[in-house]
Each structure stands twice: as C-alpha cells, then as structure tokens.
Amino acid sequence: MKQYIGFSIMALTLGLASCSDYLDKMPDDRATVDTPEKASQLLVDAYPAQSVGYMMEMASDNVLDNGAQYTNRPNQDYMYRWQPIETTGNDDPYYIWNTHYSAIAAANQVLASLDKLGSSSYVNGIKAEALLCRAWAIFRLSNAFCMAYDPTKASQYLGLPFPKEAGVSVDERGTLAKLYADINDDIEEALPLLDDNHLKVPKYHFNTKAAYAFAARFNLYYHNYDRAIRYATLALGNDPAGVLRQIAPYMNLAGVSDIGNAYIRTSEKSNLLLIPAFSLSGRAWRSSSYERYSTAQAIVSRELFWPAMPWGSGSGANTLYYSHLLYGTNQRIYFPKMIEFFEVTDKINQTGSTHIVDVVLTTDETLLVRAEAYALKGDYANALVDINLWTASHCEASRTYNTTTAYRPVWTEELVNTTMENIVYSDLVPESNLGRSIKKELHPQGFTVASGTQENFIQLILHLRRLETWQQGLRFQDIKRYGISFSHNIDGASAIIFKAGDLRGAFQLPEDAISAGLEPNPYDAGVTVPSDTEGDGDSKVSYILE
C-alpha cells in the first residue's frame, strides 16, 4: 500500500521525459528565499523523506527465509533475492530515489539563495547545513545504488547524477570516483563553516557533532583513516564514555513503546541526528505480514546476540544488555529501536501515513568507526580503548543464571586474538544452524586486512557494528566494503549466494529513472514470487544457550 507523502516537493515526480525534468526543479513553490530565516526554514525539505535502511537490511545476512508457510510483502522478495525492485512503496527505490533528489534540490536552492545574503557566522551555519544535507542525500543514495568505494575500481564503477546548482540538471551518472570526490568537497567545504546558532531543534539537523560523525563515516568508507579518526574524535569529544548510550536503564522500561520512545529521544546524548521518514519498517519487524523474511532465532542465537562470547551467551548468563531486550517470535525477533508513528489523514476511513524516526548518526556507531580506522592502521592499543568503551556501556558488570555467572570482559589484544581464533568461519551455505557463526571470510574491496591480529580486530569490530546497527541497513554496506560472501536460503529451492564484489550489491535504479535515460546498473534479473497478507503480534523472546 502506498503511503501519502506530505511534502510539496513531491511534485518532482519521476515519470517524466528526461533526467533534467526531475533533477533541476525548484523544491517547492513557496515565496522567494530572500532572508537567512527563510533559507533555514527551507532546509527542512533538504532531509530525505524516505530511508534506504529497510531495503539494505533485507539484503543483508541479518535475515533468512523462514519458509513459504509464513507471509511476506512483495518487496521483501525482491530485496531478499537481490533482484530489481518493481514495487513502488515508501521503502522501495521509486520513492527513495525521488525524495533524495528532492532533498538535493532543496539544498541547492538554499545555497543559491545564500549567495545573495552576504556572509556571517549565522549565514555560514545555514550554508554548512545545506552542503551537508546535499552530501548526505547523495551519499545515502550511493550506499544503496552504487558499489562500495574501491580505489582500484572506482573510476570504472558507475556513480550517480549529482546536481550542485539550482536549475542546472545533470543527466549522466559519471563514475563512483567522481561522486565520492564531489561528496568529499561538500563535506570539507561545510566543516569550517559549522555554526549551530540557527538550529532550533539541533538533533533533527546537521548540528556540529552530527556533521563530524557523518564526515567520519564517509572517510572510513573512502579509506581516509586519519580523517575518519580525527572527525570521529571531534564528534565524540574529550569524554566518549559520557556520550555513549547507556543501555542499563532500558532494562527497567515497560516494553516496546517505552523502549522505542527512549531510543529516539532528543535528550539521549548518543543520538546525533534523527531523520523522520515515511516507512513501514517500524511495522515490518513486528508484523506477521513480514514474517517469511526476517531476523529469526537461528541468526540471533548463532550470529548476533546469543553466541558464546567473553560477555556470556544465550539470554541467561549474558552480560550484553541487548540479549535481554529482544521481542517477537522465533521467526521474527527485533529490538524496538524504531517504532511506527501513524499520522491519520482521513479520520472517517482511518487512513494515513506511517512514519519512523531514524537515528541515522550516533556516538556509539561513530566510536566503532574510529575503532575500525585504528585497527586498519594497525593501532591496536587505541582500537582496544574504543572497543572497551563500547563494551562498558553495552554490558553489565556480571549476570548469573542458575549456577553460571558471566562477567563483562576487559578486552586485551590477547583476548581479541584468542576469542576470534577460537570461532570457526561461517559456512557459505549452512546445512544447519550449527554452520552459522559471527565470523565470515573477508575479501576487502580495494584495501587489505592482514591475517592474524589485524583480521581478529576487524572481525570483532564488524561484529560490534552488526549489533549496533542491526535493523538499520548499515550491515549490508559493511558486507560490500569487506567483500563478505554469504547466502540467503530459499524455501523449496537452492540457496542464493552473494559473492565478494557482487554487482547486485548496487540496487537497480527505479525503472522511471532508467526510462528517463540514466544508465542502469549491470544486473542479473531473477524470478520473484510475490505474496501479500496482513497480521501482527509480538512478545518478549529469550533463549538459553547451554
């Protein structure tokens, strides 16, 4: 079911004659932007109204096929099987593409208007936000519709059209190398101009901390590790422990709604940037209508929260807080980090729009960006500091179940090596759940990871990132970056395999964009078997790993 999109910029439809018809329009028909205040107000439209998160999550190794006896939505078939997505809902390429380019158009109009308003710290702050919004929108599109950045192949990989002037269209995709260089230019131009004085609700805008967190993630993906470390440090400040999410209080909350509301609150120090989005993903993790393809107990128990680790195992003697905060059924397990907000637009028929608040940048993920950059530079001492900071905020000191007590670990280089070397690699196509593991073989795209200590650190950090970003799609980008091969089981058929450097990692562009003249991604089309039913229900889940 399509949801109503309540933005005037949605006049920028995709079904037009050429690329220029929808890449260079005025973002809306409001009065001329002739004051800094009007420019700041227009920036509300410079944040994409859709999220790539659910689409990328469904393509990752965080989900499996529970079987044809369970119901699913048609778009799940396409996403799970890495096929061109033919549906046109809020979580599909059609609207994702449209709203991200609408956001870029809004940012471009603000930048054009600011050129006429002189220079001041206030105006510079607005300019910085506009540049970051533009860079963010195209960066997120590149995560979904492009390959991971590989300096040895970026000049051959397709990029995306990136309009940078209001009213001037860009009808060619160009290369991924050019696209990343353009994103980098926007970020580097914005950072010296940062000023939060024009922000009324900073957590819903590119405030200074969020800007540096974005810059850190981008530079990690861009293989600029020194910059990633520097920008992550600026985002985290001098006391990272004081700004990480403290999970302990969540243990005392009443349930899904309370946890979900606590997770997205603006007073949470960990939350750096919140972006509302029209999306059904808040419903998808909870509803039985989506149950065929979901995070099932087999993944939670063998790959995510319940495998044996130094902090414990199962949902009993396990000091990892998240391991005790899971809800759902054996077929669909979730942590309520994003909940649905339903806006009624027709009271008589009780129809309206589904929203989520997507926590797109946090101090916790930024800390792991820095840890990964340190590890890739071979600076294991500093990587350990960040790993232990994350562990301290995400694990309780000890927990006893029956006669077993688990303790929060203090990671050392020896413990990292011992832990990861004692874990076997996951089978490419697990014949049973025993073939699943938190560790998969790495084939880094455009960089190297040395066997032994460096790989052990990276494997651990990738696992922490997987736990931290679960349900938000970032795992699929990590899979692409590290060339992780894995498979999706298909009920009644052979498993399908995603290989290192798989071209299906770049989702196919929406058909309207291809029809308008843009070069499609190289893609092997497959067969889909869509189905659609409704349902719901959830409960707290637990599993004791003996």
Side-chain angles (χ1 to χ4, degrees):
M1 179 179 66
K2 292 183 184 178
Q3 303 299 318
Y4 170 73
I5 308 300
F7 287 84
S8 57
I9 55 176
M10 288 306 294
L12 300 171
T13 55
L14 286 169
L16 301 176
S18 71
C19 300
S20 61
D21 285 325
Y22 63 85
L23 293 182
D24 64 355
K25 298 291 186 181
M26 280 281 287
D28 60 22
D29 54 4
R30 72 181 67 191
T32 303
V33 179
D34 54 9
T35 69
E37 290 72 23
K38 288 182 181 179
S40 183
Q41 291 171 9
L42 180 55
L43 278 175
V44 172
D45 291 342
Y47 292 87
Q50 258 75 27
S51 170
V52 303
Y54 184 70
M55 183 170 70
M56 295 183 68
E57 189 72 9
M58 288 302 302
S60 78
D61 57 356
N62 285 337
V63 296
L64 56 69
D65 182 356
N66 284 304
Q69 70 269 34
Y70 297 100
T71 56
N72 64 277
R73 292 301 184 94
N75 64 349
Q76 290 180 288
D77 278 302
Y78 299 122
M79 296 169 184
Y80 183 80
R81 298 167 192 250
W82 311 303
Q83 295 173 343
I85 300 168
E86 299 177 6
T87 48
T88 55
N90 281 328
D91 296 293
D92 299 332
Y94 180 89
Y95 276 122
I96 289 170
W97 181 272
N98 194 0
T99 57
H100 280 69
Y101 273 110
S102 295
I104 292 169
N108 281 338
Q109 184 57 40
V110 169
L111 291 167
S113 301
L114 291 176
D115 287 342
K116 306 171 185 177
L117 298 178
S119 179
S120 67
S121 60
Y122 187 84
V123 170
N124 286 345
I126 298 170
K127 182 177 182 179
E129 184 183 0
L131 287 166
L132 290 164
C133 284
R134 185 170 72 180
W136 174 259
I138 200 69
F139 175 67
R140 291 286 272 177
L141 283 178
S142 73
N143 293 165
F145 297 107
C146 297
M147 300 293 286
Y149 183 82
D150 176 345
T152 68
K153 298 178 181 179
S155 295
Q156 288 79 49
Y157 284 152
L158 286 170
L160 294 171
F162 191 10
K164 301 189 81 168
E165 295 182 52
V168 178
S169 67
V170 177
D171 297 333
E172 300 292 334
R173 293 187 62 174
T175 67
L176 188 61
K178 179 64 164 61
L179 183 63
Y180 263 63
D182 285 344
I183 296 171
N184 183 67
D185 287 346
D186 273 6
I187 292 173
E188 292 301 315
E189 183 179 355
L191 295 182
L193 303 176
L194 288 169
D195 187 306
D196 293 351
N197 287 328
H198 70 289
L199 302 178
K200 295 181 179 179
V201 187
K203 293 294 182 75
Y204 282 90
H205 296 267
F206 265 111
N207 58 80
T208 297
K209 297 292 187 183
Y212 284 123
F214 170 32
R217 185 191 297 175
F218 170 76
N219 277 283
L220 178 69
Y221 290 4
Y222 203 18
H223 305 183
N224 289 329
Y225 306 130
D226 288 330
R227 279 189 183 179
I229 291 167
R230 182 166 73 252
Y231 292 144
T233 300
L234 288 168
L236 294 165
N238 296 324
D239 180 25
V243 295
L244 297 181
R245 190 181 304 274
Q246 301 303 310
I247 314 297
Y250 288 64
M251 302 289 286
N252 299 319
L253 297 178
V256 169
S257 294
D258 285 354
I259 293 172
N261 284 315
Y263 194 90
I264 63 173
R265 63 189 178 189
T266 56
S267 59
E268 168 58 62
K269 293 180 180 179
S270 173
N271 293 339
L272 299 180
L273 180 60
L274 312 172
I275 300 183
F278 292 95
S279 173
L280 282 164
S281 60
R283 180 182 304 180
W285 300 114
R286 299 177 59 181
S287 172
S288 59
S289 296
Y290 299 77
E291 199 160 64
R292 176 170 179 178
Y293 305 114
S294 193
T295 303
Q297 182 170 301
I299 291 179
V300 170
S301 62
R302 302 295 300 184
E303 298 191 43
L304 285 172
F305 301 97
W306 293 340
M309 286 289 283
W311 50 59
S313 62
S315 60
N318 192 337
T319 65
L320 186 68
Y321 287 119
Y322 284 141
S323 70
H324 310 286
L325 291 167
L326 304 177
Y327 290 80
T329 67
N330 287 342
Q331 287 70 43
R332 50 177 174 84
I333 298 175
Y334 65 95
F335 169 69
K337 61 167 43 176
M338 58 179 75
I339 55 177
E340 179 180 314
F341 297 93
F342 191 79
E343 176 190 356
V344 176
T345 56
D346 185 336
K347 292 184 179 180
I348 296 176
N349 295 310
Q350 284 297 295
T351 58
S353 318
T354 54
H355 305 255
I356 60 167
V357 175
D358 197 1
V359 186
V360 297
L361 292 168
T362 67
T363 56
D364 303 83
E365 190 264 339
T366 303
L367 182 79
L368 296 177
V369 164
R370 189 170 71 176
E372 183 181 338
Y374 278 135
L376 288 170
K377 285 173 57 65
D379 186 348
Y380 306 128
N382 275 313
L384 280 170
V385 171
D386 288 345
I387 291 169
N388 279 309
L389 283 169
W390 189 93
T391 304
S393 67
H394 287 68
C395 296
E396 58 190 313
S398 65
R399 175 172 281 256
T400 300
Y401 177 78
N402 289 336
T403 59
T404 302
T405 300
Y407 298 92
R408 180 173 60 218
V410 176
W411 294 96
T412 62
E413 186 172 324
E414 180 182 7
L415 181 58
V416 172
N417 284 328
T418 301
T419 298
M420 300 316 298
E421 286 168 3
N422 286 336
I423 297 174
V424 299
Y425 289 103
S426 182
D427 292 341
L428 179 60
V429 181
E431 295 184 4
S432 72
N433 290 335
L434 294 178
R436 297 183 178 275
S437 160
I438 71 170
K439 191 168 77 170
K440 294 181 170 72
E441 292 187 3
L442 307 180
H443 305 280
Q445 301 295 287
F447 61 106
T448 59
V449 173
S451 60
T453 297
Q454 187 170 53
E455 183 187 347
N456 291 333
F457 268 82
I458 292 299
Q459 290 281 4
L460 175 59
I461 292 166
L462 286 174
H463 183 56
L464 301 186
R465 285 183 57 81
R466 192 177 180 186
L467 300 181
E468 185 62 47
T469 65
W470 178 45
Q471 300 172 197
Q472 294 180 278
L474 270 68
R475 171 63 178 178
F476 193 53
Q477 191 67 12
D478 289 349
I479 286 170
K480 290 161 62 173
R481 293 190 300 125
Y482 278 91
I484 295 174
S485 298
F486 70 103
S487 63
H488 275 168
N489 68 303
I490 303 293
D491 185 30
S494 299
I496 52 177
I497 296 173
F498 189 91
K499 299 178 180 178
D502 201 310
L503 294 178
R504 294 171 298 173
F507 286 94
Q508 188 57 274
L509 274 54
E511 182 58 36
D512 299 74
I514 297 172
S515 298
L518 288 183
E519 183 178 353
N521 286 327
Y523 215 89
D524 292 326
V527 178
T528 58
V529 188
S531 60
D532 192 9
T533 55
E534 282 289 347
D536 204 351
D538 66 334
S539 59
K540 198 154 189 180
V541 296
S542 63
Y543 174 70
I544 308 303
L545 186 64
E546 299 296 344

